[in-house]
Amino acid sequence: RTRVPAARRRYEEEAKEEAMLRRAAAQRPLLLIARRAVFSSDAGSSDAGSAAILRGSSTAAVHADALEDHGGGRMATAHDVSPPLSLSTTFTCPEPGSDGHVYSRISNPTRERCETLLGAIEGTPSSPARAVLYASGLAATFGALSRLLPSRVAISGGYHGTHQVLEQLQRISGGARCNPIPLPTPEDAAAVLREGDVVWLETPRNPDCHVADVAAYADAARELGGVWVVVDSTFAPPPLQRALTLGADIVMHSTTKYLAGHSDAIGGALCVRDAALASELRADRSAVGSTPGALEVWLLMRSLRTLHLRVERQSATAAELAHWLDRAVRREAGHPLAGLVHSVAHPSLPSDPSHGVARRQMSGGYGGCFALELASEQAARSLPAALRLFRDATSLGGVESLIEWRRKYDDAISPRLLRVSVGLEEAAHLQEDLQRAILQVSAAAG
């Protein structure tokens, strides 16, 4: 007598659950329609949740991928709050005429979702952006230059890896393509550049943090016609700098740095306004196999949610430390490091040669890196090992502060220079660590 009611209750509960699932399935198309309406690509929309309003904001960094329409199920994660990681290399053949995934080198749900998210972050309400992800920053650099294939690339210093990519493309082309020429000033561009050239701007530049005037170069390129402007914005991701809105044709990021931001995922990205160019870049990426791994893409997507919070904090702390160190450079009375610091380079400093450009261009902050020169080479070489909160490591943009004696990797750099990447620690703690260590190594150096 007791078994029948229990069995009946189980039956009724199962029937109720099945009915609930059926109702949810019936409502799913309405949910997708609602999502399409909320994140419409209509740039003229004034709705509070529209793409035009959200693009470029921290809200877009949290919601853009979930709100985007992907052909009614290409991501197939409508009910996941935290997106899953798709590790599959291949997919069940889609129905004829449908827009499904086939092979992960070509497309993948995790990568497509992350590209949607990054595009929304790089874009603005009036200027949408498309993102294309790569296996590394150098793969992205190769992707941009191999698509444009210029005879000449106007470039000034910067990351040595970019010059290695230029050398590779010169070798592949038998010297016909990607030959570097000195970057002219915007005023001299008309006399130096010609149709088909690429202007490659790394801004802020590694490691001296010099800021190039993107808008001025874009205007000069537009007047000449047929000149491309590519901006390596690794040192200043959104919301610090938005080079596409300043007139750049392509923005490159080493996503390993600030975008991923946790020193655990290598990757690169190209961001463009033109949808056709984005499709061409994806086709090239598939052909040469520079597709990023799904895990790295998932880690990047996780990190983009907090991008605005991280880089704004890092930028503010870097500016605070740079100003404090600059007072030592100027031998301010009573400064504990007066006479021990030779120079500091950060766009936030009024004395910085590119400060005026940075004020116009870097609307969200001046970046989380700065260059520091001590009074002697011996002190500079010794400083990383003497610090406790800064790790002696290359790379930048992570949540932990890093410092490196840059001459170790680049013979063209001053032997007194150190590159500092500021993390998320308290500014006062980092200042105390720097003060103690600089006093220590300077005393040892005599």
Side-chain angles (χ1 to χ4, degrees), residues 408-431:
K408 186 189 306 181
Y409 304 102
D410 191 341
D411 292 339
I413 300 301
S414 165
R416 296 186 296 186
L417 185 141
L418 298 119
R419 188 183 71 188
V420 181
S421 172
V422 175
L424 296 180
E425 303 91 344
E426 297 291 339
H429 297 157
L430 296 178
Q431 180 175 316

Side-chain angles (χ1 to χ4, degrees), residues 305-349:
R305 311 294 187 187
T306 60
L307 175 66
H308 293 69
L309 295 174
R310 288 186 288 105
V311 299
E312 287 172 353
R313 169 69 177 272
Q314 289 167 302
S315 179
T317 302
E320 183 176 339
L321 293 175
H323 280 74
W324 172 68
L325 290 165
D326 186 59
R327 292 199 295 273
V329 175
R330 293 185 280 109
R331 298 175 181 265
E332 184 178 281
H335 197 291
L337 302 181
L340 304 180
V341 180
H342 176 70
S343 68
V344 181
H346 190 254
S348 68
L349 297 172

